Amino acid sequence: MKTDFYFSTESLAVGYNGKALISDISLGLKKGEILTLIGPNGSGKSTILKSITRHLATISGVVYIDEKNMRTMNGRDIATRMAVVLTDRVRPELMTCGELVASGRYPYTNSFGKLTARDHEIVMESLRRVHAEDLYDRDFAAISDGQRQRIMLARAIAQEPEIIVLDEPTSFLDIKHKIELLEILNDMAKNQNITVVMSLHEIDLACKVSDKIVCVKGDHIAAYGKPDEIFSDERINQLYEIERGSYNALLGSVELSRPSGAPRYFLIGGGGHGIPYYRALQKANIPFAAGILFENDVDFAVASVLASEVVAAKAFEAISDAAIAQAKQIIDRVEAVIDCGCPIGEFNRASGVLMEYARGKIITEVPV
Amino acid sequence: MKKTYTDTMRYCMVFLSLAILFCAAVVWNINTGSVDISLKDIANIIFTKDATDQASYNIIWKIRLPRLLTAAVLGGALSLSGFLLQTFFRNPIAGPFVLGISSGAKMFLAVVTIALSKYITTVPVSLTVISAFIGSMLSMMFVLAFSGKIKNMSMLLVIGIMISYICSAVTDFLINFAKESDIVNLTHWSLGSFSGAGWDNLKIATVIVLPTLAAVFFLSKPISAYALGEGYAQSLGVNIKLFRVLLIIFSSILSACVTAFAGPISFIGIAVPHISRIMLKTQKPQVMIPATFLCGAVFCMICDLIARTMFAPTELSVGTVTSAIGAPIVIWLMISRQRKDAQA
């Protein structure tokens, strides 16, 4: 196969005990590109990764590294090209972080595993790359989850691979460490030209760090492409079968399910002022309506998935009389109007008009 | 890098202390017993083979020396076997007999003893050794046959334990139908003892154990890769299937050899790797393998000494002593280490 891809799969089928779970996986990655597998729990992300790393026998199809069929390569050939970070929780006894990172030198050391001065240099360099030089002497069992994951990554780096495969590297990490880890991967990919294949649960992060995205869904690849081609609200909500609540692909934000029923309050918001009120009402499970919001307003993005009714106005256009009339109609039906505290200026004069109309019915706190 | 230096110092200290203990145990062992022989005479008899005092010469050359060396070689073998299985299963309570080695040996010995009881009154030692060894190897074959079929190591542990239950059941069944007098030999064997160890057996044991020790030492690199589990070991290029088979074979040969010559001696195989690990503060097989072997040799010699002298002239079985001494040591080491970890 002649391609300019460094890593590729050709109609790969993966599964257990000779039975294919997911077939026809054809992916291609150039050097230094990051590919992320996303998909619901149990969709087969790990199965695909394990088949790539040869922890699972492939059912059919071929995996190529550097245009070589992986099946024809021996263990050492692969080990000098591909490093892995698995989900296995390792708990080695009496092992310092330095020793653990040094275990990545395995394919390069002599038959007794003696580390040379160069090996030590590479170990230190790998630790530096993940900002963990100070952990060198520490017992691996005594450090935090975030540090542990960085050490596991340093171990993979010390293997001097051309491709790193990571299975959910950000699980168990808090948001700071998630960002840090992905920054390190991104740096490796772009500056060292290392190809990265991984699975992530955090779709908001996946779209920011990846060059290519694979949506894995149970028995097939639901979508494969660049993040901006993949990340639409609809596709994500479908991929994960989100029935209650929603995911906003543009903002990367998650909202819980919309309170059902006729709106009891009308919220006058805008410019992000409405969002805390919308969420408070959602928590109390009180249906509400919101308006009048420009379609490019961040309040609109949230209101459209939480409010029973939204009175919207086209972005960059004056608010129409029809919208004002519609809002007034809702105000007539609700118990009260909540002023979310959005300042009123030249372009949202309509909000002022509505406040005037609802006078006597206005409150400023969520009545819970 | 300072740490590497202190580590090396520590390893040297541990090996030095073990060497001193080894020599002390040898001297003490020769020097202790129902017949007192002075140190000077001992040195004279051993190094010049001075046979003027025929009785002392015989006691030392024919009884005490082969016995203590057998204890050393088999103690080392047992500990090494335990170390291999603990590494392999990444389970601190794995010991040399978890794969059903001793139960297989006992079952086969029971079959042989009872089958022959009609024709001979006492089973010769050589036959005991051979049957126990064959029994051990049979259990190992079973475990090996399963090891290719399973994905995860803890299942192999379960299979080993189940095999040992099956073997015990068969043994108990046979014993039910045997006369008490026929199975004296079996009962005696199953307690474990070095009494009656002679040069012939020692030679055979050494020929089996030392090459296996060397082979295991040559495996230290893949063993070290195992510290992070099979998944990572494989990703580093270790041939997992081959490695599994080699580990099972080596650890089984070691424990089968012990079982054949001295019976199933409990505990050393579990305790000594822990003791060595805690002394060395490392898991590195390159140092752990020789240290565990040496430590096992010393431990076993001391236990045998206690077994034969504590209630002399009644001799305890060495298994009784190893458990009585080994278990408290392990508990103490574990707890003190945990306390240290909590402080750090």
Side-chain angles (χ1 to χ4, degrees):
Chain A
M1 196 172 79
K2 198 71 201 146
T3 59
D4 52 350
F5 291 134
Y6 174 73
F7 168 84
S8 61
T9 65
E10 197 182 72
S11 32
L12 177 70
V14 302
Y16 292 93
N17 302 323
K19 256 196 222 150
L21 282 179
I22 310 171
S23 341
D24 214 15
I25 307 165
S26 296
L27 312 168
L29 275 181
K30 293 185 190 129
K31 276 204 150 185
E33 282 190 319
I34 298 181
L35 171 87
T36 305
L37 277 64
I38 62 170
N41 286 331
S43 60
K45 302 188 291 291
S46 288
T47 314
I48 296 178
L49 292 181
K50 278 183 189 151
S51 306
I52 291 172
T53 58
R54 294 221 302 194
H55 286 103
L56 257 183
T58 55
I59 309 293
S60 64
V62 191
V63 182
Y64 293 98
I65 287 189
D66 214 359
E67 289 174 26
K68 280 196 260 312
N69 182 344
M70 263 183 86
R71 200 172 295 190
T72 64
M73 298 165 78
N74 67 31
R76 194 182 167 274
D77 278 349
I78 294 175
T80 52
R81 287 183 175 80
M82 178 188 277
V84 300
V85 175
L86 307 171
T87 46
D88 308 13
R89 290 274 242 172
V90 299
R91 41 179 182 87
E93 260 190 296
L94 300 166
M95 209 172 184
T96 64
C97 295
E99 287 170 350
L100 197 144
V101 174
S103 74
R105 299 301 301 158
Y106 185 94
Y108 304 97
T109 54
N110 70 9
S111 48
F112 281 100
K114 175 124 185 65
L115 296 173
T116 62
R118 194 182 121 74
D119 290 321
H120 281 296
E121 250 167 57
I122 290 170
V123 167
M124 287 315 286
E125 174 56 31
S126 308
L127 281 165
R128 212 166 299 136
R129 206 87 74 68
V130 301
H131 320 298
E133 304 101 299
D134 51 324
L135 297 177
Y136 182 83
D137 274 344
R138 294 277 298 281
D139 186 343
F140 184 74
I143 59 174
S144 74
D145 279 343
Q147 292 170 326
R148 234 171 260 176
Q149 200 64 334
R150 273 187 293 164
I151 294 296
M152 292 314 285
L153 183 59
R155 194 204 64 91
I157 295 171
Q159 216 173 317
E160 295 188 302
E162 288 164 344
I163 176 168
I164 292 189
V165 180
L166 309 94
D167 197 355
E168 287 174 20
T170 54
S171 320
F172 309 114
L173 299 189
D174 62 30
I175 185 70
K176 173 191 162 196
H177 290 108
K178 275 183 208 227
I179 295 172
E180 230 173 57
L181 192 87
L182 294 179
E183 294 272 10
I184 296 167
L185 287 177
N186 197 34
D187 172 69
M188 268 169 31
K190 301 303 168 249
N191 297 330
Q192 260 82 39
N193 234 2
I194 295 175
T195 308
V196 177
V197 177
M198 64 178 160
S199 61
L200 283 181
H201 267 307
E202 298 81 359
I203 35 185
D204 47 331
L205 296 175
C207 84
K208 284 154 203 160
V209 75
S210 319
D211 297 303
K212 281 179 180 162
I213 297 277
V214 177
C215 301
V216 187
K217 198 173 182 197
D219 50 357
H220 65 289
I221 300 293
Y224 166 54
K226 293 189 178 129
D228 41 344
E229 297 162 8
I230 300 292
F231 279 92
S232 70
D233 296 2
E234 204 184 330
R235 180 170 276 140
I236 296 299
N237 287 321
Q238 253 174 29
L239 174 66
Y240 287 91
E241 292 175 15
I242 303 174
E243 281 153 6
R244 305 180 53 78
S246 62
Y247 177 78
N248 184 311
L250 191 62
L251 300 176
S253 69
V254 177
E255 299 301 339
L256 301 180
S257 60
R258 188 199 313 265
S260 59
R264 286 171 52 196
Y265 299 97
F266 184 82
L267 279 70
I268 300 176
H273 291 270
I275 292 175
Y277 290 85
Y278 306 155
R279 289 185 179 155
L281 287 167
Q282 192 283 331
K283 259 181 253 171
N285 198 24
I286 299 169
F288 64 92
I292 297 172
L293 300 170
F294 291 105
E295 283 170 355
N296 62 344
D297 191 317
V298 64
D299 272 358
F300 176 79
V302 177
S304 59
V305 293
L306 288 184
S308 314
E309 287 176 64
V310 181
V311 183
K314 284 232 151 46
F316 311 114
E317 283 182 24
I319 294 173
S320 66
D321 289 339
I324 296 175
Q326 189 196 349
K328 282 180 175 171
Q329 211 190 10
I330 299 173
I331 290 174
D332 291 338
R333 283 188 274 136
V334 297
E335 292 164 26
V337 172
I338 299 175
D339 174 9
C340 301
C342 173
I344 291 165
E346 180 82 14
F347 296 105
N348 62 347
R349 255 177 312 181
S351 293
V353 173
L354 294 179
M355 297 274 214
E356 191 66 29
Y357 179 78
R359 199 209 295 260
K361 229 178 161 179
I362 290 180
I363 52 177
T364 52
E365 302 261 323
V366 174
V368 183
Chain B
M1 288 296 145
K2 198 173 139 246
K3 179 103 187 328
T4 330
Y5 176 70
T6 52
D7 277 349
T8 317
M9 279 298 285
R10 175 194 300 283
Y11 304 153
C12 291
M13 289 304 290
V14 169
F15 277 107
L16 194 65
S17 333
L18 282 176
I20 293 170
L21 273 174
F22 186 87
C23 296
V26 169
V27 172
W28 193 12
N29 237 311
I30 295 178
N31 198 21
T32 319
S34 46
V35 179
D36 273 327
I37 307 168
S38 76
L39 271 179
K40 203 175 134 229
D41 287 346
I42 292 174
N44 211 14
I45 289 171
I46 291 182
F47 293 115
T48 65
K49 295 207 172 183
D50 174 10
T52 41
D53 181 352
Q54 193 62 40
S56 299
Y57 181 86
N58 280 344
I59 288 174
I60 290 180
W61 276 101
K62 297 211 170 129
I63 300 175
R64 291 189 190 165
L65 211 48
R67 177 169 179 160
L68 85 93
L69 289 178
T70 306
V73 168
L74 297 186
L78 211 46
S79 311
L80 188 57
S81 172
F83 168 73
L84 289 180
L85 290 168
Q86 284 174 9
T87 316
F88 190 47
F89 290 118
R90 295 197 297 138
N91 186 335
I93 59 157
F97 301 122
V98 285
L99 293 180
I101 297 293
S102 63
S103 319
K106 190 176 178 184
M107 180 185 78
F108 203 73
L109 190 57
V111 171
V112 171
T113 310
I114 290 164
L116 291 182
S117 62
K118 284 195 190 107
Y119 311 104
I120 48 176
T121 45
T122 49
V123 180
V125 175
S126 57
L127 190 59
T128 309
V129 169
I130 291 168
S131 344
F133 197 79
I134 292 173
S136 307
M137 289 294 117
L138 283 178
S139 327
M140 185 193 81
M141 293 297 175
F142 268 107
V143 174
L144 268 183
F146 284 115
S147 76
K149 293 201 172 66
I150 56 159
K151 292 206 175 67
N152 131 359
M153 300 314 302
S154 51
M155 268 171 70
L156 198 60
L157 200 59
V158 175
I159 287 171
I161 293 169
M162 291 306 129
I163 286 177
S164 71
Y165 276 122
I166 296 169
C167 292
S168 304
V170 174
T171 312
D172 291 344
F173 178 81
L174 290 172
I175 287 176
N176 263 324
F177 292 97
K179 279 189 291 210
E180 193 115 344
S181 58
D182 291 342
I183 53 165
V184 170
N185 179 49
L186 183 67
T187 318
H188 178 72
W189 173 87
S190 64
L191 288 173
S193 170
F194 292 113
S195 69
W199 287 106
D200 290 343
N201 285 355
L202 175 61
K203 267 181 208 153
I204 300 170
T206 311
V207 164
I208 296 173
V209 170
L210 290 187
T212 314
L213 171 67
V216 169
F217 192 68
F218 275 97
L219 277 185
S220 25
K221 191 183 170 189
I223 292 174
S224 71
Y226 236 69
L228 298 182
E230 241 171 37
Y232 283 108
Q234 190 186 344
S235 79
L236 290 172
V238 178
N239 182 341
I240 293 293
K241 284 209 168 130
L242 176 69
F243 183 71
R244 271 191 197 176
V245 168
L246 288 179
L247 254 175
I248 294 174
I249 289 178
F250 288 146
S251 65
S252 303
I253 285 178
L254 290 170
S255 51
C257 183
V258 176
T259 317
F261 288 112
I265 297 168
S266 56
F267 220 82
I268 290 187
I270 300 177
V272 171
H274 283 293
I275 295 171
S276 320
R277 205 173 288 133
I278 288 166
M279 285 192 306
L280 291 165
K281 292 213 171 110
T282 185
Q283 181 79 278
K284 277 187 209 135
Q286 289 88 340
V287 274
M288 269 297 282
I289 289 170
T292 307
F293 192 87
L294 201 54
C295 187
V298 171
F299 193 86
C300 203
M301 280 194 287
I302 295 174
C303 287
D304 186 46
L305 180 70
I306 294 171
R308 69 189 176 86
T309 56
M310 187 170 244
F311 294 101
T314 307
E315 193 171 298
L316 300 176
S317 74
V318 70
T320 315
V321 179
T322 52
S323 304
I325 297 182
I329 290 182
V330 169
I331 294 175
W332 177 70
L333 284 174
M334 291 276 181
I335 289 177
S336 63
R337 199 178 102 197
Q338 205 169 40
R339 204 175 295 142
K340 228 176 273 164
D341 283 354
Q343 278 165 3

